[in-house]
Structure formats: C-alpha cells, structure tokens
C-alpha cells in the first residue's frame, strides 16, 4: 500500500513540487502583506514623531526591503528547480519510448540488454546536486572572463586617474613590456603625423608582387597612408634605358596591377629614383661608365657632363609617366571614399661620395655643385608635371650654411626628408639645424627605420631599437613641427634591403614584418598602446595570446635589449610568418654552430691552428672535438632546403639562392674545413720529438730572428 503510494507520488513529483511551491509562495506573500498592514497604522498615528521614531521606521522599511529580496531569491530558486525537474522528466520519457534493439543471426534472436537505470535521487539531494553543478559552471565562466574583466577594470581605473597619474602608470607599463619610454609620448600626448609612408626597397631582392599585395590591407589597417617605392633596377625601363633593368625586373603590366591594387586600398604612392649618388646599377654598365665622377667608382654621377642630365630626364619621365597612367586607371574604378594620391616624386640625392673630384667639377664648390644639380632636376619635374612636389634626402644639406641655401633658392623647389635611424636624433640634427631648415623650407618630411639600419648583413632586425627610433621621432615631430610654416608633412618608415647595390642582403622583408607592424601601429596612433584591446597588432597579425594578468606578472608583449623579437610573434599568423619563424631558428642555430667552432678552434688545445699547422695532436681528443660536426652539417643542409621551400612563396630563385649562399653555406664550409683538419690530424701514426720544427714562413712574415741568425 505504502509502496504504491510512493510510486504514485514519484510519478507526479512535478505536480506535487508545483503545489508545494505555490503554498510556500502564498505564505510568503501573506506574511509580507501582514507586516505592511501592521506597520502602516503605527506610522500614521504619530504624525509628529521624534528622531527615534523616524529611525525605527527606517529600520522597519529596511527589514521590509530585505523580506522582498528574500522572496525574489526564493522565486528564482524555485523557477530553476522547476526547469531542472522538467528536463529530467523529458529525459525519462524519451528513454522509456526507446525500444530495445533486436539483432537476428539465422533463426536466433539476440536482444541487446537494457542498461539498468540508476535509482533516482531524493528530491532534496537532486536539487542540491544541481545547484553544485551550476556553481561549478559559473566558476568556470568566471575564470574564462577573468582576463577581460581585469582589462575592463584597469580601463575603468585609468579613466578615474588624472592626466599625470595616467602618464606615470602608462610609463610603468611600458617598462614592464620593455618598450622604450620617451617623455611626453603617451595617450594624452601629441597627435600622430598626418602621413605615414612605408618604404619598399626593391633593389636586389624583389618580393613577388603577389606577396606585396597581401601586405597592402594589413598596412592600411595599421595606419599607413602611402608607399615609398624604391625600384632601382627592378623598374621596367624601355627603349634606350632597357639595359638599366635587371633580368628579373618587374613587368610593366604586373607593376601597373600592383599600383592599382595599392590605390584601391587607399594608399598613395611616392616613387623613389636616385639621381646623384647610389647610381651603381646604371654606372656599372658598359656604355654608361663615362658618366662617372671618377672612372674607378660607379657610385656617383658627374653633374658637369651634359649627358648626365639627359639620362636622368629620361629616367624620370619613364617612372613618372607609368605612375600617372596607373593612377588614371585606378581613379576610374576606385571607391570615392579612398582618394588616390600621387603628389610627390623622391629623387634621392643622399650619400653622394667623391663629389667634385673630377677635372670638370673641381672648378666649383661642392655645395654649389649639389644645389645646382638638385634645382635643375626639380625644375625639370615642375615644368613638365607642375602638380608634383619633389623630395630629397637631407644629409648633403646638413653641412651647408644658411646663406648658401638661401642663395640657391632650393626651398622653392624641393622638400627635404630628414633621416636618422639612431635613438639620439638631436645628435645628428641639432636644434640649430632644425632652425635653418625651417627658414629655408616651408615644410619637410622625416624618416625612421623598421629594418636595414643596425647592421649591413643582419638576419633579424632588433625590434626594440627600431621601435625606440620611431617613438623618439614622434617626440621630435611634436617639438620641431611648429618651426615650419606648413609643418612637417609626415614620416616614412624605411626598410632597406641592401646598403648599396654591391652589398649583400640585410634583413628580408618577411623577417622584418613584426618590426614594421609594431612601429607602424605606434606611429599611426601617436604612441604605443599598452592595452591589447586598443592595439591593432593582435587583430591584424592574427596573434593568439593570453590577456595580461597582474597575478602572473607577465605582459602581453615583452621586448628585451639583447633580443631580436618577442615571443608574441611566434603565435601570429600573417603573410610571411613562417619565414620569420624560420629566420629565428636559423639565427639560434648559426649562433650555436659559431660557438662550437670557436670553442674547438680557439679555446681547445688539440684542434687549434697551431695543431693543424704542425700536424701534431691527440687522436682521441680530435675524435671527441669533431664528433658533432657531421650532425651539424646535416642539420644546416636540411635548413637550406627548408629555406628554399619557405622563401619560394615570397622571392624568386635568385634571391633564395643568395640567401642560402650568404647565411648557411659559409657555416657549412667552416664545419667542413674543421672536419678536414681533424681528418688530417688523425692520419698520423708517429710524431716527432719536441721541440717541433719552426715554421720558417711564419718567422719571415713576422720578422722573427732565429738562433742561427742572431749575432754572436
């Protein structure tokens, strides 16, 4: 009898629970109404109550509010319990409707055994278990959102601080991250430069245009406004200038397509064509050597020869006309919200070495030679294309006096681009020089660097040094821009691929991408944003990172003076990221092998140059010292094949081969020489008595005197 009753109650558990909930809720409401009705007459019967009565009334009202809060909490708990029980009821009904599976094999039927149902927990225990599960889920969700909640809290705290306190906190955060701190640069500092150009140095290592197209939306998203493109021998010269183009130069149609793509992304284009120094790619060729300043050096052009100006005018005409054609095509199809701009042509004129040394140029001052040459070129451009401004590098102007510059009227023809890649900008451009420039030129440009400035053959750019250079330029722009009548137009972030035409490769463009993107986002914002929500780096580079946590003490970006990168960029996915990661591994491997060779050759006592010259060493020691050499050679050969596979997506076979020959092959050769020296030492089976014979050639070269040569 009792068992049947309990079964009936269990099957109707939902109904009973709802009934009990309704009774409890009705009782609570009744209790709340009784309290309200008993308190109201008391308060009305004493219209002029004293302070103690008012306090008693406030306490009663607080108790009443607490009662209502308790009722609200109980209502939420009851609703949650109803949802849980309803879900359990639906699950039990669905399980009961499933028929047992029957399988037939011949005349025999196999019935799948049904799983024994667990006995249902009592109502109170089931409800408590569900509450514990909900608490665990809430705790997990809070842990997931802990990082972002802390970021939001930090942002809220920053809004409550004063300007000075925010700047102090900002600088402290920069120090934690290893980002250089520059006074006056921060969220409340000066605004960003109007123009932010990204320099593409194409000489000798031209990236495939398909790769450069992938970079355009990233550059635009991080704040770039234009491109400064230095073609050198990669421009498709035609006609009499066709020999100036390299065999792997870009095709004209491909270049037009790339320029139109840049225009569609809202990026302006400023072509850069050297017209005085750094003309090795022209003057090295047969048929142009007579235009050199000195016969033995193809570095600079002789401005005193009439053929020099005729050559430069043809080069400028071909470069400018191609860009004007592309801009005309792009303008017809581009969106009106992204205006196409081709407003300036850069004619170089930096580092003009051995100027004024030929017979014709000796009759004039060096400053006069330079200024007249630049004014003539600028006059040619302005006469044929009056809508274009002319830009030059400023380094040749730094030693000239104010009177020389004013007399030449160069300020009416060109705009200087002041370039310094070091951290101490005022060491190279002191305030007096800024004052001179402001008196001559209505406006000017500045140039920083994101790669190719701290070593002629570096493999990976020092990101922290380049970032400091760009941040310090922001401070200089804010301080010196007011001197100029029209202000400073903007900054060009340069990324050199070679120091000159004859130099080997420095950092490749994909390897310098983290440095470029970090510096570009900083310059575009006017300061380095320490908040990952506001910094576009993480979104554009598609980085997977853990939010900054005060408890862990680790910021989201860490830079160190002696490191070339941050661990953040190892978890990013952007065009060329595999090349960057490979370059970091190669850098570490080359450092490891270099230390190994130094220890075996210079620090060991059995494989030094002395041992090799005299063929005198211990075979056991030589075996030990050269045991790793074959393994290291195989590893480097494997990395050479990997480099070819990765670089093929960015460069042609000539650049890939040069990279391997420059960075990997010399180390393999050094290991092979060490192995050959060890093999020569191991061939000997008998050794002479000491002292070992003198090396006569060494004695003669060093000017040493033997005992037989000394006077008695």
């Amino acid at each position: 009898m009792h068992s049947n009753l309990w079964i009936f109650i269990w099957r109707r558990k939902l109904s009973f629970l709802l009934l009990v909930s309704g009774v409890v809720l009705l009782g609570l409401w009744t209790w709340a109404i009784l309290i309200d009705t008993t308190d109201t007459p008391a308060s009305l019967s004493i219209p002029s109550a004293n302070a103690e009565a008012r306090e008693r009334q406030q306490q009663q009202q607080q108790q009443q509010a607490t009662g209502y809060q308790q009722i609200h909490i109980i209502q939420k708990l009851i609703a949650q319990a109803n949802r849980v029980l309803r879900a359990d009821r639906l699950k039990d009904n669905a399980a009961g409707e499933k028929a047992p599976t029957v399988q037939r094999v011949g005349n025999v039927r196999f019935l799948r055994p049904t799983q024994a149902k667990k006995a249902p927990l009592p109502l109170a225990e089931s409800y408590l278990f569900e509450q514990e599960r909900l608490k665990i889920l809430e705790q997990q969700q809070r842990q997931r959102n802990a990082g972002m909640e802390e970021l939001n809290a930090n942002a809220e705290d920053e809004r409550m601080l004063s300007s000075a306190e925010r700047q102090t906190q900002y600088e402290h955060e920069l120090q934690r991250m290893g980002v250089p701190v520059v006074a006056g640069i921060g969220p409340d500092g000066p605004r960003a430069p109007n123009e932010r150009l990204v320099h593409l140095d194409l000489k000798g290592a031209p990236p495939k245009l398909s790769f450069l197209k992938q970079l355009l939306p990233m550059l635009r998203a991080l704040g770039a406004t234009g491109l400064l493109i230095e073609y050198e021998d990669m421009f498709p010269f035609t006609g009499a200038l066709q020999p100036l183009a390299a065999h792997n130069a870009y095709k004209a149609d491909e270049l037009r397509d790339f320029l139109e793509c840049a225009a569609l992304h809202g990026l302006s284009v400023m072509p850069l064509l050297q017209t005085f120094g750094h003309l090795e790619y022209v003057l090295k060729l047969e048929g142009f050597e007579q235009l050199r300043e000195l016969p033995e050096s193809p570095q600079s052009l002789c401005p005193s020869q009439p053929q020099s100006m005729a050559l430069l005018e043809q080069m400028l005409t071909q470069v400018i006309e191609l860009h004007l054609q592309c801009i005309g095509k792009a303008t017809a199809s581009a969106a009106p919200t992204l205006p196409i701009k081709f407003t300036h042509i850069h004619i170089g004129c930096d580092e003009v070495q051995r100027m004024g040394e030929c017979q014709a140029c000796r009759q004039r001052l060096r400053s006069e030679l330079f200024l007249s040459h630049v004014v003539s070129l600028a006059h040619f451009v302005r006469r044929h294309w009056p809508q274009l401004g002319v830009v030059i590098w400023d380094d040749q102007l730094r030693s000239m006096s104010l009177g020389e510059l004013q007399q030449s009227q160069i300020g009416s023809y060109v705009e200087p681009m002041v370039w310094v890649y070091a951290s101490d900008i005022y060491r190279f451009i002191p305030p007096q020089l800024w004052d001179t420039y402001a008196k001559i030129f209505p406006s000017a440009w500045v140039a920083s660097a994101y790669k190719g400035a701290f070593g002629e053959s570096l493999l990976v750019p020092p990101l922290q040094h380049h970032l400091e250079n760009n941040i310090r330029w922001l401070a200089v722009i804010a301080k010196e821009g007011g001197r100029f009548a029209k202000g400073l137009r903007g900054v060009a972030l340069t990324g050199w691929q070679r120091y000159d035409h004859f130099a080997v490769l420095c950092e490749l463009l994909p390897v310098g991408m983290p440095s470029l993107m970090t510096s570009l986002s900083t310059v575009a914002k006017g300061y380095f944003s320490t908040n990952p929500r506001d910094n576009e780096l993480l979104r554009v580079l598609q980085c997977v990172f853990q939010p900054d946590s005060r408890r862990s003490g680790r910021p989201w970006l860490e830079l160190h003076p002696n490191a070339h990168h941050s661990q953040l960029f190892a978890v990013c996915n952007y065009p060329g990221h595999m090349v960057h990661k490979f370059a970091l591994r190669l850098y570490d491997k080359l450092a490891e092998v270099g230390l190994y060779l130094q220890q075996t050759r210079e620090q060991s006592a059995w494989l030094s140059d002395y041992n090799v010259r005299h063929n005198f060493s211990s075979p056991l020691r030589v075996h030990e010292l050269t045991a790793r050499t074959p393994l290291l050679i195989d590893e480097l050969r494997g990395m050479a094949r990997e480099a070819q596979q990765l670089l093929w997506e960015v460069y042609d076979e000539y650049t890939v081969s040069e990279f391997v020959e420059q960075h990997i092959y010399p180390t393999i050769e050094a290991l092979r020489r060490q192995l050959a020296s060890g093999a020569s030492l191991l061939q000997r089976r008998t050794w002479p008595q000491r002292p070992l014979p003198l090396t006569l050639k060494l004695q003669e070269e060093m000017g040493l005197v033997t005992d037989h040569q000394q006077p008695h």
Side-chain angles (χ1 to χ4, degrees):
M1 180 66 179
H2 293 288
S3 61
N4 294 336
L5 179 60
W6 282 112
I7 291 172
F8 176 78
I9 294 174
W10 176 251
R11 290 179 178 176
R12 298 294 185 270
K13 56 186 176 184
L14 183 60
S15 302
F16 279 100
L17 183 60
L18 292 175
L19 181 61
V20 172
S21 301
V23 172
V24 172
L25 186 60
L26 181 61
L28 290 173
W29 283 342
T30 305
W31 175 60
I33 292 172
L34 290 176
I35 292 176
D36 190 25
T37 54
T38 54
D39 292 341
T40 303
S43 60
L44 294 175
S45 60
I46 310 175
S48 59
N50 54 16
E52 294 181 359
R54 283 197 297 269
E55 290 180 1
R56 191 182 310 109
Q57 182 177 2
Q58 291 177 358
Q59 292 177 359
Q60 292 174 354
Q61 291 177 354
Q62 292 178 358
Q63 292 177 358
Q64 179 180 352
T66 304
Y68 283 124
Q69 291 178 359
Q70 294 175 352
I71 293 172
H72 179 66
I73 293 173
I74 293 174
Q75 288 177 346
K76 291 182 64 176
L77 292 176
I78 292 173
Q80 181 66 27
N82 291 338
R83 286 195 295 269
V84 172
L85 293 176
R86 192 179 298 109
D88 291 341
R89 182 67 176 272
L90 294 175
K91 189 184 300 182
D92 294 340
N93 294 339
E97 293 175 358
K98 291 183 180 179
T101 305
V102 178
Q103 297 181 357
R104 290 182 176 271
V105 180
N107 297 325
V108 183
R109 293 192 307 168
F110 291 92
L111 183 64
R112 186 184 299 275
T114 57
Q115 297 181 354
K117 294 184 179 180
K118 296 181 180 179
L121 293 172
L123 180 60
E125 295 183 9
S126 175
Y127 177 74
L128 292 176
F129 173 78
E130 183 63 26
Q131 287 296 105
E132 292 297 327
R133 188 179 72 84
L134 292 174
K135 290 180 180 179
I136 293 173
L137 293 176
E138 292 175 0
Q139 182 66 20
Q140 291 176 351
Q141 187 65 28
R142 280 194 295 269
Q143 291 176 355
R144 293 191 195 101
N145 298 333
M148 297 310 299
E149 289 177 357
E150 186 169 356
L151 291 176
N152 294 332
N154 294 339
E156 185 66 26
D157 294 340
E158 291 177 0
R159 285 192 290 268
M160 300 294 292
L161 299 176
S162 64
S163 177
E165 291 172 336
R166 280 198 304 271
Q167 183 67 18
T168 301
Q169 184 175 353
Y170 170 75
E171 293 179 356
H172 174 71
E173 195 66 18
L174 290 180
Q175 293 175 353
R176 288 183 64 230
M177 304 174 74
V179 177
V181 178
V182 177
I185 300 300
D188 299 327
R191 63 184 182 88
N194 294 329
E195 298 289 337
R196 285 90 59 184
L197 306 181
V198 175
H199 175 233
L200 298 178
D201 184 15
L202 306 178
K203 56 176 177 282
K208 294 180 179 179
L209 293 178
S210 59
F211 174 77
L212 292 179
K213 286 182 180 180
Q214 298 178 51
L215 302 184
L216 297 179
M218 299 176 58
L219 298 178
R220 184 60 179 169
L222 288 175
T225 60
L227 302 177
L228 176 63
I229 307 179
E230 184 167 359
Y231 295 102
E232 204 189 59
D233 57 355
M234 295 309 300
F235 187 83
F237 291 104
T238 59
L241 302 182
Q242 194 277 332
L244 275 58
H247 294 302
N248 60 340
Y250 295 125
K251 303 294 187 295
D253 293 339
E254 298 174 345
L255 187 56
R256 290 191 189 96
D257 180 67
F258 170 72
L259 294 175
E260 292 172 7
C261 186
L264 290 174
H265 284 91
L267 296 172
S268 64
V269 177
M270 182 189 295
L272 194 160
L273 181 69
Q274 290 286 0
T275 56
F276 207 162
H278 289 299
L279 278 173
E280 299 94 341
Y281 74 101
V282 177
L283 302 178
K284 72 176 182 179
L285 300 173
E286 184 179 357
F288 297 91
E289 69 274 14
Q290 73 276 6
L291 301 179
R292 301 173 185 172
E293 177 71 16
L294 294 177
E296 66 273 13
S297 174
Q299 198 273 342
S300 58
L301 190 78
C302 176
S304 300
Q305 299 191 36
Q307 299 90 339
S308 298
M309 185 59 64
L311 171 66
L312 296 176
E313 289 178 356
Q314 294 181 50
M315 296 170 62
L316 286 169
T317 300
Q318 291 197 18
V319 172
I320 293 175
E321 287 298 328
L322 184 139
H323 286 76
L324 289 177
Q325 293 171 9
C326 295
I327 286 182
K329 290 183 179 180
T331 305
S333 59
T337 56
L338 298 176
I340 311 305
K341 292 196 302 182
F342 172 34
T343 59
H344 290 78
I345 173 76
H346 199 308
I347 60 173
C349 299
D350 64 315
E351 297 178 336
V352 185
Q353 301 174 2
R354 311 298 296 271
M355 180 174 56
E357 295 188 14
C358 73
Q359 190 66 30
C361 293
R362 289 177 186 174
Q363 311 303 321
R364 306 168 65 186
L365 296 174
R366 289 168 56 92
S367 58
E368 181 186 352
L369 278 171
F370 181 83
L371 293 173
S372 62
H373 180 73
V374 170
V375 169
S376 298
L377 288 172
H379 181 69
F380 169 77
V381 173
R382 299 290 292 273
R383 186 173 71 250
H384 289 82
W385 303 279
Q387 75 274 22
L388 293 181
V390 180
V391 180
I392 65 169
W393 298 114
D394 84 297
D395 54 291
Q396 296 296 137
L397 305 175
R398 298 174 187 177
S399 59
M400 297 182 187
S401 66
L402 177 62
E404 291 174 329
L405 295 174
Q406 288 176 335
Q407 185 178 1
S408 68
Q409 298 183 351
I410 191 173
S412 303
Y413 290 93
V414 302
E415 298 175 6
M417 184 172 280
V418 186
W419 63 275
V420 175
Y421 306 146
S423 58
D424 189 2
I425 297 174
Y426 283 107
R427 175 188 171 191
F428 300 92
I429 315 292
Q432 298 84 356
L433 186 55
W434 283 111
D435 186 60
T436 300
Y437 283 170
K439 292 178 180 178
I440 300 297
F441 304 101
S443 62
W445 301 73
V446 302
S448 61
Y450 66 88
K451 76 179 187 72
F454 290 98
E456 297 90 342
S457 59
L458 285 183
L459 181 61
V460 182
L463 192 153
Q464 189 186 50
H465 295 329
H466 288 291
L467 181 58
E468 181 177 4
N469 171 245
N470 282 274
I471 295 177
R472 292 196 179 277
W473 263 122
L474 291 174
V476 172
I477 292 172
K479 183 176 181 180
E480 307 297 342
R483 295 177 182 263
F484 295 84
K486 298 181 180 179
L488 292 173
R489 289 188 179 271
V491 57
L493 286 76
T494 62
W496 302 100
Q497 192 55 77
R498 301 180 192 274
Y499 275 42
D500 63 33
H501 183 78
F502 292 106
V504 297
L505 296 170
C506 48
E507 309 97 310
L508 296 178
L509 179 59
V511 183
M513 286 295 294
S515 177
L516 168 60
M517 298 306 179
T518 305
S519 296
L520 176 59
S521 63
T522 301
V523 170
K525 204 173 186 66
Y527 64 96
F528 181 86
S529 177
T530 59
N531 192 332
R533 297 179 307 159
D534 299 335
N535 200 313
E536 294 293 328
L537 269 179
L538 302 172
R539 181 183 63 82
V540 175
L541 298 183
Q542 301 180 27
C543 301
V544 180
F545 78 106
Q546 296 296 329
D548 180 14
S549 176
R550 303 280 183 187
R551 291 167 294 190
S552 65
R554 297 182 63 87
W556 61 274
L557 176 68
E558 290 183 286
L559 302 176
H560 304 285
N562 298 325
H564 288 71
H565 65 286
S566 171
Q567 292 296 330
L568 169 69
F569 303 107
V571 293
C572 298
N573 184 17
Y574 54 89
H577 72 282
M578 294 300 297
V579 178
H580 175 257
K581 296 171 185 176
F582 169 79
L584 296 180
R585 289 191 289 112
L586 179 61
Y587 178 86
D588 294 336
K589 178 56 66 177
L590 293 177
E592 174 190 346
V593 176
L595 181 61
Y596 168 73
L597 289 172
Q598 181 183 7
Q599 290 175 345
T600 56
R601 180 179 177 179
E602 300 178 7
Q603 300 178 9
S604 74
W606 296 275
L607 201 57
S608 66
D609 292 342
Y610 181 87
N611 298 111
V612 174
R613 273 195 304 270
H614 292 274
N615 199 14
F616 190 83
S617 187
S618 168
L620 291 178
R621 296 290 190 176
V622 172
H623 272 298
E624 293 176 359
L625 291 173
T626 59
R628 289 186 58 202
T629 304
L631 298 177
L632 292 175
I633 292 176
D634 290 340
E635 289 183 20
L636 289 176
R637 288 173 57 122
M639 297 192 78
R641 293 189 293 270
E642 185 180 358
Q644 182 182 37
Q645 181 180 2
L646 293 175
L647 292 175
W648 184 252
E649 299 180 1
V650 184
Y651 297 102
D652 59 16
E653 57 182 341
Y654 303 103
T655 304
V656 175
S657 176
E658 182 180 359
F659 178 85
V660 173
E661 188 174 350
Q662 176 184 342
H663 291 289
I664 302 178
Y665 184 72
T667 305
I668 293 178
E669 283 294 288
L671 290 170
R672 286 174 175 169
R673 287 194 297 269
Q674 185 231 49
L675 204 58
S677 300
S680 176
L681 291 172
L682 292 174
Q683 289 178 357
R684 195 161 193 174
R685 292 295 178 265
T686 59
W687 294 266
Q689 294 176 305
R690 285 189 180 275
L692 299 180
L694 297 175
T695 307
L696 297 180
K697 182 179 179 181
L698 184 146
Q699 298 285 326
E700 295 175 358
E701 290 181 355
M702 303 299 294
L704 301 179
V705 180
T706 63
D707 292 341
H708 301 289
Q709 296 173 337
Q710 289 182 354
H712 295 286

